[in-house]
Every structure is written in structure tokens, then in C-alpha cells.
Amino acid sequence: MKLYWNWFRHLAYVHRQPFNVAIVFRMLFIAPLALTCLSTPPMQAGQLDYFVTTPQPIAQLTPPAATVPPSVATAVRQDIAKRLGLSPTEFKIIDASAQTWGNACLGVASPAELCAQMLVEGWRVEVSDGAQSWIYHTDGVGRNIRLAENLQTPLPTPVARKVLNAIAKQVRVPVAKLKITEVKSAYWNGCLGIYQPNRGCTKIAIQGWQLIVSNGDRSWVYHLNQDGSKLIQNRTASLSQAPVVTSFQFIGDTPGIASDVIFRSIVAGSMTGETRTLTLNHDGALTQMIMGPTIRSQPVVIKKVSPAELRRFTQLLERQQMPNLTGISYFTSAIYADHPHTTFQGMGSTVQFIDSEMAKMPRSLQQIAKVWTQLQKK
């Protein structure tokens, strides 16, 4: 107030006007009020005589995501976008906190996963598309990320009952013996996410669910819309048999593949700690790279696949409808004994399995694994 007082005394001096309290009052209070009235647009007919302020979204009022390393934020957005078939730009980090996880699985282990007991500095990250949210556990740089929780409302009970009754009729198993073992939300195209060669599907986003249903001996994977009125069995991913456990949980990180790659397999998790990666490129080059605690090799071409072999293998992937296997794992308790697990990537899809019980895997996965092994032979 003292600053304003001296300023007005200065104005009076400059303009050689006697200092007058009334003038000061008019300049301090009446003039700003008049300016406000002049700058306010006239009310239209029927306009309500009050102002409404728009509240800021919570995400704008809570900026903890700014403290998350960019590599972590990018990895989380890319992973959830890949799972739902959307663009990473559709998702925002709305909450995050630094954490110390008690094992290498970051506190999120799959049903048949053995986790090394160690302290891992990382993050608990909440990502959202504006309608629903997901919780991720990550390491400090985003190389190891785990989907820990989907904060969306679980499958509604009426939908679950409707679905189980429909599935019981399809698979000819009493509904009392069926159990939904895992469920996750999904966005489907017009074909509910079921791939068939040479079939076009409407590119729309149908909100729905993906379920794994089991009777204890066999498992089935189903795709459905939000209310369960449309239901399709994913036959490619179904009919694994015990002791194989069908799940949506993956072990470790699954990096994307380059556009010039047709197929890639990654074998990891052995007692030696080595990871063996085989990559088949469009030019027919089959390369191998081995990484481990004491070795880090460069990609080495181990075979040149002929155009005829390349064509037959590509046709096999389409015929076995590999995209229908994406996001699904098939493990057994052998993984507790440090048995290696395998990751297949091709046609935009990723699937994990353990090869100790290949005869109990879905037939499509068996065929792909068989031909892939044969292709590696010189």
C-alpha cells in the first residue's frame, strides 16, 4: 500500500496537481471497477447472471509424473498402448512414487514364476486414458516393467454368469466346473480381435474383455464385448492342458521388433543367466546373438534361408493365426527349477511359453515351434 501511495504522490507532482486524497480514492477503486465493466462483454438475452468456473482436471493439479524418468514414462505408455492396440499418445501418467521392490519381479509375479530375492529401486506408476487407470511397477529406468493392477471395475457378476453359461454350452462342460481364472479389459476391432487371414475387420474400438476360463484340466481364451452379448472363442490360444497354466502375465521385458524382422525367438531364464536371441529378417538372414553375465556377442548370421523357405514360414504364421496368441503365456511349475522360457515374436504379436510340456500347448503354438526349430537346421 505504501508503494501505491508514493506512486500517486509522484503522479501529482509530475502533473503539478495538488495532492488530493479524493483523487487517489477514485484512481485506486473507481477506475479499475470501470475498466472491468468496460472489458466485460454484454450479457445476451436469456444468459444467466452468474459466472461458472471450470475445475481443473486432477491430472493437472497433480504433477508427480514430471519426476518420473522419461524412459520409465515412455515404457509404461508404450506397454499399455500395445496391450490395448492404441497409440501411446492416448495415455498419460497421472501419479507416480519412488519404490524399493523386494524381488526381481517387482512384487508382481506370474503364477509359475520364480523371483530372485533382491532390492530393486524403481517406481509405482499410474497411467490413464481418461476413462480407466492401470498400475505399473517398474525398475529405475524402465527396462523391467510389470502391469500390477487394472483399476477398472472387475467383470460384473451378471456378465460373468452370462458368459460362463454360454461357454459351458460351447465346450460341453458343466458350468459348475468352469472358473474364470484371469480377466482383463480390452479394446477390440469389428472382429473382436480374432485374426483370420484375408479377412478385413472394421477399425473401431469396441470396449470389452478377454477371459481365460478353465475346468482344471483345459483352458479356453474368450473375447467379448462389454456386456457379454457378443462372445467369441479364441481357438488359436485355447485348449492348453494341465499342468500348463494359461495367463496374461509375462516374464521380464518384451522389446519390440524392427520392421525388417519376420520372426524372433528369445530363450532366457536358465541357470547360466544367458539369453539367446534368433532373428529372421525379410532378406532371409537368420542371425543369433547370445548375452549373459560374462558374454555379449554381436549378431552373427548362422544361416541364409531360401526365398521358398521364407515364404512357407510366413504362410505358416498366417495359417496358424499367430496374432491370436499375442499377450498370452503358457508356463508350468518347471519354471521354478530355472527351466528357460521362450518368447516368440512375429506378425505384431508376442507369446511366451516353457517348452518342457510342448504337447500340452495349443496346437498352433506347437506347429510354429516345430517349424521354427526345423528352419534353424543347416
Side-chain angles (χ1 to χ4, degrees):
M1 180 59 71
K2 182 177 180 181
L3 178 63
Y4 282 102
W5 187 262
N6 291 333
W7 182 66
F8 280 110
R9 293 188 63 182
H10 173 72
L11 286 177
Y13 173 79
V14 170
H15 294 284
R16 299 296 189 269
Q17 298 293 332
F19 182 69
N20 191 308
V21 175
I23 295 176
V24 173
F25 177 82
R26 287 196 294 270
M27 296 183 72
L28 269 175
F29 299 102
I30 298 177
L33 181 59
L35 288 174
T36 301
C37 295
L38 290 173
S39 62
T40 302
M43 293 178 59
Q44 303 297 323
Q47 185 175 350
L48 296 179
D49 188 13
Y50 61 84
F51 295 95
V52 178
T53 59
T54 303
Q56 285 188 316
I58 294 177
Q60 295 182 10
L61 299 176
T62 310
T67 63
V68 178
S71 58
V72 172
T74 298
V76 168
R77 285 196 295 263
Q78 288 179 344
D79 185 81
I80 192 62
K82 182 178 178 182
R83 290 174 183 269
L84 300 180
L86 299 174
S87 168
T89 58
E90 299 289 330
F91 301 91
K92 293 183 179 180
I93 307 299
I94 63 172
D95 194 15
S97 59
Q99 300 287 332
T100 300
W101 308 114
N103 55 47
C105 300
L106 310 181
V108 186
S110 60
E113 185 176 6
L114 183 64
C115 305
Q117 299 302 305
M118 57 189 296
L119 296 180
V120 179
E121 298 298 327
W123 295 87
R124 180 188 182 275
V125 179
E126 182 176 350
V127 60
S128 175
D129 64 352
Q132 54 185 309
S133 299
W134 296 263
I135 298 295
Y136 274 83
H137 294 186
T138 80
D139 63 5
V141 294
R143 289 197 185 97
N144 185 8
I145 65 173
R146 301 281 182 123
L147 178 59
E149 185 180 0
N150 184 348
L151 297 184
Q152 184 184 18
T153 303
L155 186 67
T157 301
V159 176
R161 289 174 179 170
K162 181 194 300 185
V163 167
L164 285 176
N165 284 323
I167 294 174
K169 293 178 181 178
Q170 289 187 14
V171 302
R172 298 180 180 180
V173 174
V175 67
K177 293 187 177 181
L178 293 177
K179 179 182 179 182
I180 299 176
T181 58
E182 286 193 28
V183 57
K184 68 176 182 179
S185 62
Y187 287 93
W188 304 121
N189 56 22
C191 300
L192 287 185
I194 301 297
Y195 170 82
Q196 289 184 7
N198 303 317
R199 181 179 72 165
C201 297
T202 307
K203 293 184 178 180
I204 57 177
I206 300 175
Q207 190 170 0
W209 311 89
Q210 188 175 28
L211 310 177
I212 299 174
V213 179
S214 177
N215 68 345
D217 179 54
R218 290 173 293 169
S219 295
W220 298 267
V221 178
Y222 275 85
H223 299 190
L224 57 148
N225 62 355
Q226 196 166 22
D227 64 2
S229 59
K230 293 183 179 180
L231 178 74
I232 300 178
Q233 184 185 145
N234 184 339
R235 298 183 181 276
T236 309
S238 297
L239 291 179
S240 63
Q241 301 177 47
V244 174
V245 175
T246 305
S247 174
F248 296 134
Q249 300 296 324
F250 274 10
I251 296 178
D253 191 19
T254 54
I257 59 178
S259 58
D260 62 339
V261 174
I262 293 179
F263 192 82
R264 178 166 67 188
S265 67
I266 305 171
V267 180
S270 66
M271 295 183 65
T272 62
E274 292 184 355
T275 299
R276 179 172 177 260
T277 303
L278 286 171
T279 304
L280 178 62
N281 296 322
H282 281 281
D283 61 1
L286 181 62
T287 63
Q288 175 179 267
M289 184 172 66
I290 300 176
M291 297 180 61
T294 59
I295 184 173
R296 185 183 181 89
S297 71
Q298 296 296 320
V300 177
V301 178
I302 61 173
K303 181 182 178 179
K304 193 72 173 180
V305 178
S306 69
E309 288 178 308
L310 201 64
R311 183 173 59 256
R312 286 195 295 269
F313 183 69
T314 302
Q315 291 173 348
L316 171 81
L317 297 180
E318 293 184 357
R319 192 165 58 251
Q320 299 301 328
Q321 302 177 12
M322 185 174 178
N324 294 333
L325 294 170
T326 192
I328 303 177
S329 62
Y330 302 91
F331 295 134
T332 71
S333 59
I335 204 163
Y336 289 114
D338 288 331
H339 194 286
H341 65 273
T342 302
T343 302
F344 279 175
Q345 293 180 293
M347 295 188 69
S349 63
T350 301
V351 57
Q352 287 189 341
F353 62 96
I354 191 167
D355 62 7
S356 60
E357 294 283 354
M358 281 306 300
K360 303 294 180 69
M361 301 289 174
R363 290 184 179 180
S364 292
L365 184 56
Q366 292 183 44
Q367 283 296 112
I368 294 172
K370 178 181 178 181
V371 176
W372 177 242
T373 300
Q374 293 173 348
L375 195 65
Q376 299 170 35
K377 297 179 180 178
K378 295 183 179 181

